[in-house]
Amino acid sequence: MPQPDAGIIERAPQIVAALREVLPDDAVIWDPEETRAYECDALTAYRCPPLAVVLPRTTAEVAAAMRVCHRLRVPVVPRGAGTSLAGGALPTADCVIIATLRLRDVLEIDTENRFIRVQTGVTNLSVSGELEPHGFFYAPDPSSQLACTIAGNIAMNSGGAHCLKYGVTTNNLMGATVVLTDGEVVGLGGPEMGPMGLDMMGLLCGSEGQLGIVTEATLRILPRPEGARPVLIGFDGAEVAGECVARIIRSGVLPVAIEYMDDVCLRAVEAFARAGYPDCAAVLIVEVEGSVPEIEDQIARIREIASALNPVEFRESRNADEAMAIWKGRKSAFGAMGRLGDYICLDGTVPVSKLPYALKMIGELSRRHGLEVANVFHAGDGNMHPLILFNANKPGDLARAEAFGADILRLCVDVGGCLTGEHGVGVEKRDLMGKQYDPADLDIQMAVKDVFDPCWLLNPAKVFPLDASQPWREEAARR
Amino acid sequence: MTTDAPSRTGLSPASEAELGELIAERHATRQPLRITGGGTRVETGALSGDTLSTAAISGVVTYEPGEMTLIARAGTPLDEIQAMLAAEGQSLAFEPADMRGVLGGNGTSTIGGVVAANASGPRRMLVGACRDHLLGLRFVDGRGRVLKNGGRVMKNVTGLDLGKLLCGAHGTLGVLTEVALKTLPILPDRCTLGFHGVTVDEAAQIFARALATPYEVSGAAFRDGTAWLRVEGLGPQMGYRRDRLLALLQLREAEVLDAEVTLSLWRGLRDLDHFAGTATPLWRVLVKPSLAPSTVRALQALGGAVSVDWGGGLIWYCGPGPAQEVRQIARHATLVRRGGLAGPAFAPEAPAVTRLSLGLRRVFDPAGILNPGLMDQ
Ligand SMILES: Cc1cc2nc3c(=O)[nH]c(=O)nc-3n(C[C@H](O)[C@H](O)[C@H](O)COP(=O)(O)OP(=O)(O)OC[C@H]3O[C@@H](n4cnc5c(N)ncnc54)[C@H](O)[C@@H]3O)c2cc1C
Ligand SMILES: Cc1cc2nc3c(=O)[nH]c(=O)nc-3n(C[C@H](O)[C@H](O)[C@H](O)COP(=O)(O)OP(=O)(O)OC[C@H]3O[C@@H](n4cnc5c(N)ncnc54)[C@H](O)[C@@H]3O)c2cc1C
């Protein structure tokens, strides 16, 4: 991160006083004991306590805080639950965190028009919880859904296990209330199936807190399916597993999820959760939805496709317990990997047809860097999550793991994919952006940020490579 | 490739690079351009400038059915793409319309024009709009810079999503040269349930009930006293869904149309055949579905005819109502066919949003040469 602005840090007391003037007392924190809780997100290798933390309860309070920060030219890091894996919510010593965690009201549930309107501090899981009695659900379901907030989901355009069928956040976001950097509050989109005019809500989604602070959201909701059932398919090679994914997709069956686990992951999971998975090179978990006859028909089609590829095992679930057993290993994968040591979790995407090649190359890179890697990911859309294992107590190991990770992400771009499928750029992938985008491609993105945030106060040192954003930030500092 | 007969000086660059040079030149001399794909749209005679056609920047770059991805140059005819996908049992699920009939055009729709207009048909309600199927794009901005955003994969959150901005910007932010789109398998079975002799209120009730089920109703339209529901599926799915819906709505008598009739019925509803062949102004109105009945009645009171799509979310109004009155009834109204009406085609935005829109236009097109005035309010 760039050097924090000493002038701002010096003015901390005045800044805090100005915030206290417009906000309730308990909404402004600057005691170092308390601000430490906000020193990092889920990318824990990087930490820095902020100058202060603001915890507003309403859009008006967010706007008031933003106005103060704008007037005093203090950088702002918006924050939800802090589960970002990319350092998106990482503070700097000269920033004020504006957290939307306390904006937790459900404002409207409208099943006739199929939307829910919430304040963005609600957690992802609680949205679906609210909808359950109505027979509806909210589709994007990141594995962090118990903790992460709708604000963070919108900022990162988060995905989930079911996005193969239902899409990611941007496909399920209908409207948003946004506080702009000067404190003005605007509404974008709404319950209509827009957009009208330029699709600014589409731009906002996935903008990683670069454009404004989102305080309310209108989300598309769907009727709950009648049922869902997974099957497990084991293969003795990555290549053939990849082929199976492509054939399923081509066949017209559209599963809600196709998850992939490789041998390293399978062994770890077996040791940890005893899920009873086969000992083979690759396992696919394919989940389909519908009524019983619909599910049975789809599974029959998948069985036919898989059989032609000589699977080691094709395991169906006949009841809820068996279904749970199939998911058990996948759901405990990250915990199981944690048992093996420290790991970093990557998030590149490759075209589905390049999955076997990418897996082979990751294996070669693993040998070259001398670090083990496990692969567990959303295969249907090519969103890979290689987990690189390292030892945080061993000097230099984190740096080696990061170098290995960067090589994998470059590989993703080289085969036609991208640096991040759902976790975002943040600080983690910031300096790799030049691999995917030419300078002019980045320049226009920064120019767009500049329209929304002419003073470059929101997450100023993230997403864009520092050398590329430097002229913009310098120019902004003069405004 | 053939180019359309241009109404003014017709420019038809043969490559992205040539297009870049041409626009850079126009940027320097501040000479406006009217961008056209197949030119099937509403007349934009009021726009100044020479005509820039993308027809020569054409051809499918890659199509991978196993990853449901298509990459095509902007000038590729939509028909060509649809035929190619159909041969693999796939389609553009957002169902872009062929608006030649209503807009009185005789060109060939291009994929670039579809993306530039975010053109989305009846299935939008279930699967999302064109913008939801756009994976990435290449374009030339108003300075002549060749730029790209997004990519070809389904999950991608790398940087700002400019594709969303350009999709539906009607060429005012840049000239698209290449688009990557998600394709989806065509469900092999389909039928339509028709409920005749219903009012718009009854239609809205039918839609609300049907769309609250998990049966993935892929079309819900109303016109001339009939509410139509389209049901699709794989294998036994379609029959199951149809029977469940019929049971749910059993208080009303329903006609069941077979697969073939379903295809032509929804093609007609999609392309607005019922409003083709006239020059009466045609409005596209977006509402919260539950507001459809009252909005329809208010529009009908102005004279003219109305049809409803997207389960009530989209109302087409074809009638002589004055622009001001139409907009009073429906805030989100776009004038798709002018029929002699003057004034802006797009709905007014909140002042803060207008400020941002103008700021964005300045960034993408500092000299204001790309379809100037087209999206102004
Ligand atoms: C165990 C684990 C599993 C995960 N699984 C998934 C997964 O399956 N899929 C997936 O996509 N992600 C996953 N993530 C990543 C993470 O949970 C998501 O990115 C999530 O959306 C972040 O939400 P949050 O509320 O924690 O946001 P934060 O981490 O607090 O913030 C994330 C970003 O959003 C910005 N932001 C926060 N609030 C606002 C606001 N109100 N307005 C504007 N910007 C704001 C921040 O500045 C930051 O850049 C996982 C993370 C963990 C730790
Ligand atoms: C206001 C309006 C709303 C519409 N809404 C819908 C709708 O909801 N559903 C629907 O199916 N159809 C809609 N249409 C019609 C839609 O324009 C056509 O269905 C289709 O996009 C025409 O393709 P084309 O190649 O003939 O494009 P054209 O008619 O040539 O152009 C369409 C628009 O896109 C621009 N454009 C064309 N090519 C490019 C390019 N390569 N780069 C940048 N800009 C380009 C043009 O300047 C023009 O503004 C609408 C049209 C208008 C004018």
Side-chain angles (χ1 to χ4, degrees):
Chain A
M1 298 300 272
Q3 275 295 322
D5 185 328
I8 293 177
I9 297 174
E10 222 164 86
R11 283 188 284 129
Q14 293 92 307
I15 293 165
V16 169
L19 289 166
R20 290 227 157 113
E21 226 165 84
V22 297
L23 294 166
D25 266 357
D26 70 336
V28 185
I29 298 175
W30 78 309
D31 177 349
E33 287 295 304
E34 288 181 72
T35 54
R36 178 146 315 128
Y38 300 87
E39 67 181 1
C40 68
D41 54 25
L43 185 71
T44 52
Y46 298 90
R47 292 163 193 271
C48 172
L51 183 150
V53 178
V54 176
L55 295 161
R57 284 196 175 78
T58 62
T59 299
E61 287 180 10
V62 172
M66 196 63 240
R67 261 194 302 276
V68 168
C69 293
H70 184 254
R71 179 162 49 84
L72 303 176
R73 297 292 189 269
V74 185
V76 168
V77 171
R79 184 180 171 108
T83 67
S84 168
L85 288 163
L90 175 69
T92 50
D94 58 359
C95 87
V96 168
I97 284 186
I98 299 184
T100 42
L101 206 57
R102 284 186 182 167
L103 282 89
R104 231 169 312 190
D105 288 344
V106 173
L107 303 169
E108 194 179 356
I109 294 178
D110 185 339
T111 54
E112 187 183 354
N113 292 299
R114 296 172 299 284
F115 69 82
I116 184 171
R117 199 158 58 82
V118 297
Q119 289 187 316
T120 54
V122 300
T123 62
N124 175 288
L125 191 64
S126 68
V127 171
S128 273
E130 290 286 337
L131 294 168
E132 198 166 339
H134 301 272
F136 282 76
F137 74 110
Y138 173 61
D141 56 344
S143 356
S144 50
Q145 65 182 163
L146 190 62
C148 68
T149 65
I150 294 298
N153 292 175
I154 293 171
M156 291 312 201
N157 188 15
S158 300
H162 292 79
C163 59
L164 183 59
K165 179 165 179 192
Y166 297 114
V168 293
T169 303
T170 189
N171 312 113
N172 294 279
L173 176 66
M174 302 177 77
T177 301
V178 190
V179 177
L180 300 175
T181 46
D182 59 1
E184 185 160 4
V185 178
V186 297
L188 301 175
E192 301 85 18
M193 280 177 260
M196 303 295 299
L198 297 182
D199 185 1
M200 264 183 263
M201 208 189 41
L203 174 69
L204 180 79
C205 192
S207 64
E208 304 199 16
Q210 292 282 326
L211 307 181
I213 301 188
V214 190
T215 59
E216 280 178 29
T218 304
L219 308 170
R220 181 168 89 117
I221 62 176
L222 300 171
R224 295 194 82 82
E226 288 160 283
R229 213 190 288 168
V231 296
L232 179 151
I233 320 172
F235 287 104
D236 56 16
E239 197 116 354
V240 62
E243 178 63 23
C244 187
V245 173
R247 288 196 193 177
I248 291 172
I249 288 174
R250 273 191 81 138
S251 75
V253 181
L254 190 58
V256 273
I258 305 182
E259 297 290 301
Y260 180 109
M261 295 162 85
D262 73 358
D263 48 354
V264 178
C265 182
L266 287 170
R267 281 196 294 273
V269 160
E270 220 25 64
F272 177 66
R274 310 231 171 280
Y277 284 0
D279 184 10
C280 58
V283 153
L284 297 178
I285 297 175
V286 186
E287 180 155 284
V288 294
E289 276 181 359
S291 62
V292 173
E294 288 175 297
I295 286 176
E296 273 167 5
D297 172 67
Q298 293 177 68
I299 289 180
R301 287 166 198 265
I302 293 168
R303 191 190 308 112
E304 197 182 314
I305 293 163
S307 301
L309 296 167
N310 292 315
V312 177
E313 182 169 347
F314 188 93
R315 188 184 303 172
E316 288 185 41
S317 49
R318 280 172 299 268
N319 53 48
D321 285 343
E322 288 181 13
M324 209 132 78
I326 286 183
W327 274 114
K328 184 178 171 194
R330 170 63 181 91
K331 296 215 157 135
S332 60
F334 284 64
M337 299 311 298
R339 284 285 187 91
L340 297 186
D342 304 298
Y343 66 77
I344 52 176
C345 171
L346 302 177
D347 172 47
T349 305
V350 301
V352 175
S353 63
K354 298 293 189 324
L355 275 175
Y357 173 76
L359 287 166
K360 193 177 93 195
M361 292 307 291
I362 289 172
E364 279 180 24
L365 286 170
S366 158
R367 280 186 288 282
R368 199 183 312 153
H369 287 272
L371 289 173
E372 201 167 22
V373 65
N375 285 290
V376 43
F377 59 91
H378 316 300
D381 43 36
N383 187 190
M384 307 186 77
H385 288 318
L387 303 175
I388 298 175
L389 298 161
F390 70 103
N391 182 351
N393 295 321
K394 201 164 137 196
D397 231 30
L398 171 64
R400 280 200 314 172
E402 287 182 335
F404 180 11
D407 277 349
I408 292 179
L409 295 183
R410 285 190 199 99
L411 167 72
C412 290
V413 175
D414 284 337
V415 301
C418 65
L419 294 173
T420 170
E422 58 182 18
H423 295 169
V425 178
V427 291
E428 191 206 13
K429 280 148 275 188
R430 179 188 65 198
D431 297 305
L432 285 171
M433 284 288 272
K435 174 74 188 167
Q436 185 166 337
Y437 287 120
D438 293 331
D441 302 327
L442 289 173
D443 202 62
I444 193 119
Q445 292 185 31
M446 290 186 286
V448 166
K449 173 184 172 59
D450 204 65
V451 170
F452 284 79
D453 181 15
C455 299
W456 281 64
L457 296 177
L458 291 169
N459 275 337
K462 292 172 188 164
V463 181
F464 306 110
L466 288 182
D467 53 349
S469 67
Q470 191 174 350
W472 291 92
R473 285 181 283 123
E474 283 172 3
E475 173 67 27
R478 286 192 282 273
R479 287 179 182 149
Chain B
M1 287 310 311
T2 55
T3 47
D4 280 349
S7 50
R8 318 168 184 213
T9 306
L11 304 161
S12 189
S15 68
E16 185 180 77
E18 209 176 287
L19 174 68
E21 283 166 29
L22 191 153
I23 294 187
E25 225 176 272
R26 295 286 167 139
H27 167 69
T29 55
R30 299 188 161 253
Q31 284 174 283
L33 291 164
R34 303 185 333 149
I35 303 145
T36 160
T40 62
R41 69 177 180 283
V42 69
E43 73 270 30
T44 48
L47 293 187
S48 53
D50 292 334
T51 302
L52 170 70
S53 166
T54 59
I57 303 175
S58 174
V60 170
V61 180
T62 41
Y63 171 40
E64 297 267 0
E67 7 186 282
M68 307 194 287
T69 333
L70 166 90
I71 305 177
R73 296 199 186 91
T76 314
L78 181 60
D79 297 340
E80 189 181 316
I81 287 172
Q82 277 166 335
M84 187 171 191
L85 302 192
E88 296 289 341
Q90 297 191 342
S91 71
L92 298 173
F94 56 91
E95 233 181 343
D98 179 348
M99 307 257 290
R100 271 175 289 190
V102 258
L103 298 181
N106 53 8
T108 319
S109 260
T110 60
I111 195 67
V114 166
V115 174
N118 189 23
S120 316
R123 210 183 279 102
R124 186 252 185 269
M125 164 188 84
L126 180 69
V127 301
C130 175
R131 54 87 92 180
D132 294 294
H133 297 251
L134 180 66
L135 305 173
L137 75 186
R138 298 176 61 87
F139 63 100
V140 177
D141 77 355
R143 298 171 205 238
R145 296 192 292 183
V146 177
L147 301 170
K148 63 173 177 300
N149 193 260
R152 59 176 281 193
V153 287
M154 240 155 273
K155 286 191 52 199
N156 186 348
V157 294
T158 321
L160 296 183
D161 190 351
L162 304 184
K164 295 284 185 301
L165 267 186
L166 276 108
C167 183
H170 294 265
T172 59
L173 298 182
V175 181
L176 310 177
T177 53
E178 191 177 292
V179 294
L181 289 159
K182 173 175 159 181
T183 62
L184 277 173
I186 299 172
L187 289 170
D189 297 317
R190 63 188 64 80
C191 76
T192 301
L193 314 183
F195 301 87
H196 301 293
V198 296
T199 63
V200 66
D201 298 81
E202 289 167 328
Q205 283 162 16
I206 291 171
F207 296 157
R209 293 203 69 184
L211 296 178
T213 69
Y215 308 130
E216 301 185 340
V217 171
S218 71
F222 169 79
R223 91 177 178 85
D224 284 349
T226 301
W228 305 105
L229 295 177
R230 182 171 57 185
V231 189
E232 295 175 299
L234 181 70
Q237 213 169 35
M238 197 281 287
Y240 171 79
R241 290 172 168 176
R242 176 198 58 211
D243 295 345
R244 296 304 295 251
L245 285 165
L246 285 170
L248 180 79
L249 301 164
Q250 64 182 334
L251 290 181
R252 301 178 191 281
E253 207 179 315
E255 179 194 9
V256 180
L257 306 180
D258 68 14
E260 208 165 311
V261 182
T262 293
L263 273 185
S264 60
L265 173 76
W266 287 92
R267 199 180 299 127
L269 289 167
R270 181 196 74 186
D271 298 345
L272 302 178
D273 283 353
H274 45 290
F275 295 139
T278 79
T280 314
L282 178 65
W283 293 86
R284 180 177 180 273
V285 172
L286 300 182
V287 291
K288 190 157 89 168
S290 61
L291 296 180
S294 57
T295 310
V296 163
R297 274 192 299 272
L299 289 169
Q300 275 169 336
L302 299 179
V306 166
S307 68
V308 176
D309 201 346
W310 299 352
L314 169 64
I315 297 169
W316 292 99
Y317 167 61
C318 179
Q324 209 188 337
E325 288 182 38
V326 173
R327 293 202 191 282
Q328 212 133 48
I329 293 165
R331 203 153 60 88
H332 301 303
T334 313
L335 182 56
V336 172
R337 182 172 66 201
R338 285 201 170 272
L341 278 191
F346 287 82
E349 290 170 331
V353 177
T354 303
R355 210 180 60 228
L356 294 170
S357 299
L358 292 175
L360 289 169
R361 292 233 157 74
R362 262 197 303 279
V363 159
F364 283 86
D365 177 21
I369 55 168
L370 302 177
N371 280 345
L374 179 63
M375 281 186 93
D376 287 2
Q377 302 131 26

